[in-house]
Amino acid sequence: MTIFTPDTSIASDVIPSPNFGERNQGRGIDMIVLHYTGMPDVEGAIARLCTAGTDVSAHYIVLEDGRIVQCVPEEKRAWHAGVSAWAGEEDVNSCSIGIEIVNRGHDWGYPDFPLRQIAAVIALCRGIMLRRGVPSHRVLAHSDVAPARKKDPGEKFPWHSLANSGVGHWVQPAPIARGEALMLGTISDDVKNLQMALAKYGYAVPVSGKYDGPTMEVVTAFQRHFRPERVDGVADHSTLMTLHALLSSLPGDGGKAGK
Ligand SMILES: [Zn+2]
């Protein structure tokens, strides 16, 4: 793999990864997926993403000090999302830019994200959104597109800070209060309405009226991103209100999340 010219001047280094292919049928870029590396040290994380045979990669790695490393040209299909889906699209890698944010993750103490690192993520995302025409509601967490398998970048990731800088779709979460809630095992029309609302937003969730394991995983992923104060997989009033506020604040045409 030879050195290439970075797609953005804010990338300070290029460490080419051999782990990429072509975007399927010339699929255009209209999504950004954010990850954490989830490994105890940064050298190991970079090696994993840039070594042949691991079958994983990302377009960018954002280090804790804010430096940005590019590993795969934006035109190419990096291998970051794995089995995943959003708004009916199951080949997320073909339509997305993958950004790995260096953080040890839930299995290694899950430290806070440093401000300099978040500032770099914001600058990187803003550039991609402008260059590629990615709408804010298509800047997503790995856990959004693979809720059964992934937690990253997790409930500590400051989505509200990104939104303050025009990156990502966000509403102030509705306050948590006591009251009835939908939870594992519930079977009702309210569960069906919840599932339809989650699916309308983009999540891959069965619409069955039964609050089953996959539904709980999707609610958990939703909370990690949009109501991080309590991540328990229980659809309380705050979760439902926050979801509906997000749906009603999507762009006028419903965006691609409505498909
Ligand atoms: Zn990930």
Side-chain angles (χ1 to χ4, degrees):
M1 179 68 206
T2 49
I3 289 284
F4 57 89
T5 305
D7 286 285
T8 168
S9 60
I10 64 171
S12 57
D13 295 289
V14 171
I15 303 178
S17 172
N19 305 326
F20 68 88
E22 299 299 323
R23 294 183 183 275
N24 281 354
Q25 297 167 342
R27 180 74 164 79
I29 298 163
D30 63 6
M31 184 189 295
I32 297 173
V33 180
L34 302 183
H35 304 257
Y36 66 45
T37 49
M39 291 180 67
D41 67 274
V42 61
E43 294 80 11
I46 292 173
R48 180 163 179 268
L49 293 165
C50 301
T51 305
T54 64
D55 288 350
V56 292
S57 62
H59 294 91
Y60 296 98
I61 305 172
V62 180
L63 308 188
E64 287 162 300
D65 64 5
R67 275 182 299 153
I68 298 170
V69 176
Q70 188 166 5
C71 308
V72 174
E74 288 184 3
E75 282 297 321
K76 303 296 185 184
R77 180 177 179 274
W79 303 339
H80 57 95
V83 176
S84 48
W86 187 259
E89 174 64 74
E90 295 190 345
D91 185 359
V92 168
N93 282 338
S94 273
C95 68
S96 64
I97 297 288
I99 300 174
E100 286 278 359
I101 301 159
V102 172
N103 182 292
R104 295 196 300 274
H106 290 82
D107 291 346
W108 303 93
Y110 196 28
D112 291 336
F113 294 88
L115 284 176
R116 291 170 67 170
Q117 186 180 35
I118 295 304
V121 171
I122 289 169
L124 179 60
C125 287
R126 284 178 65 103
I128 296 166
M129 291 167 72
L130 277 170
R131 285 199 299 284
R132 304 292 178 178
V134 177
S136 249
H137 64 274
R138 304 265 297 176
V139 181
L140 298 163
H142 197 190
S143 53
D144 290 321
V145 301
R149 301 187 300 116
K150 296 294 177 181
K151 297 178 180 174
D152 62 316
E155 62 279 3
K156 282 189 176 181
F157 189 74
W159 290 100
H160 57 282
S161 298
L162 273 70
N164 285 340
S165 294
V167 177
H169 185 209
W170 174 263
V171 296
Q172 185 65 33
I176 296 174
R178 287 178 193 227
E180 288 183 28
L182 307 172
M183 61 189 79
L184 194 62
T186 309
I187 301 174
S188 69
D189 284 345
D190 287 344
V191 174
K192 193 168 190 176
N193 290 334
L194 163 67
Q195 292 167 327
M196 287 170 60
L198 288 165
K200 189 176 182 195
Y201 196 70
Y203 288 94
V205 61
V207 178
S208 62
K210 181 173 184 197
Y211 206 111
D212 53 8
T215 301
M216 185 173 173
E217 287 162 354
V218 169
V219 170
T220 302
F222 176 84
Q223 291 170 336
R224 275 190 212 290
H225 186 157
F226 296 108
R227 211 286 304 271
E229 184 180 342
R230 185 185 296 171
V231 180
D232 59 3
V234 173
D236 58 3
H237 188 66
S238 155
T239 302
L240 298 174
M241 294 292 284
T242 306
L243 172 57
H244 287 288
L246 283 162
L247 280 171
S248 59
S249 62
L250 280 171
D253 62 0
K256 293 188 176 175
K259 275 187 192 167

